[in-house]
Amino acid sequence: MPASGRASTIPSRHPTQPLSRSRHASHCLFRHELEWAREDGKLSKAQRDAAVDDLIALVVGVDGILQTQAGSDAAYFLRQTGMAGDTARAASVGATLLKAYRWQYIVSGALEPRFQEILGSLIDETQMKRVLDALTPLMYARPLAMQRAMS
């Protein structure tokens, strides 16, 4: 019982609820994988090259959004903490936020083993090299522990 002496009013979750959600998510992923493979089968080499270009453009576009957001968030944080005039700190805060956002929204997904496996099965070596070349400048955003483990 909480310190107030009253019983909690927060309802407990049914013990199978997380498992049910996990099964649903797994089923959805499986369907998406099948759809991805089916759609890929309709593409010519030139269309697949264009799709790789689109994937790279998507990553570049998302990264542009992240750069803008990190800059805005850093500026807000620095104003709120009274450190807006500290140029060195501003650069550090902006860089730290950008690194975190890149990890969260791009790099962690690109390093997901199942994604790599499926993408690798659908594109050729030259196309994969183009994707990896586009992602390489963002890989610094891996958490330090992961960087050490992969070294």
Side-chain angles (χ1 to χ4, degrees), residues 7-140:
S8 174
T9 58
I10 299 172
S12 63
R13 290 188 172 180
H14 189 275
T16 62
Q17 198 172 25
L19 182 57
S20 173
R21 287 184 184 160
S22 175
R23 285 183 184 152
H24 176 73
S26 179
H27 180 70
C28 287
L29 287 172
F30 179 71
R31 282 194 339 240
H32 290 304
E33 288 176 21
L34 290 175
E35 183 178 350
W36 195 6
R38 186 173 44 254
E39 290 301 315
D40 179 73
K42 299 175 186 177
L43 299 178
S44 68
K45 171 120 171 68
Q47 289 170 318
R48 193 168 291 106
D49 279 338
V52 169
D53 289 341
D54 289 347
L55 175 61
I56 292 168
L58 177 63
V59 169
V60 169
V62 169
D63 189 55
I65 292 168
L66 299 179
Q67 290 176 40
T68 300
Q69 189 64 51
S72 294
D73 290 349
Y76 175 80
F77 172 78
L78 293 164
R79 278 193 313 275
Q80 296 306 310
T81 58
M83 296 184 282
D86 186 340
T87 308
R89 178 141 320 168
S92 177
V93 169
T96 300
L97 287 171
L98 181 57
K99 180 179 179 181
Y101 294 168
R102 282 177 166 166
W103 166 252
Q104 182 175 2
Y105 294 105
I106 299 174
V107 177
S108 63
L111 292 178
E112 205 321 289
R114 188 73 183 135
F115 174 77
Q116 290 182 352
E117 179 184 330
I118 295 168
L119 182 63
S121 74
L122 299 176
I123 62 177
D124 64 31
E125 287 182 33
T126 303
Q127 293 162 335
M128 182 60 90
K129 182 177 180 338
R130 288 174 38 220
V131 171
L132 294 176
D133 286 349
L135 290 170
T136 296
L138 306 176
M139 289 300 158
Y140 81 96

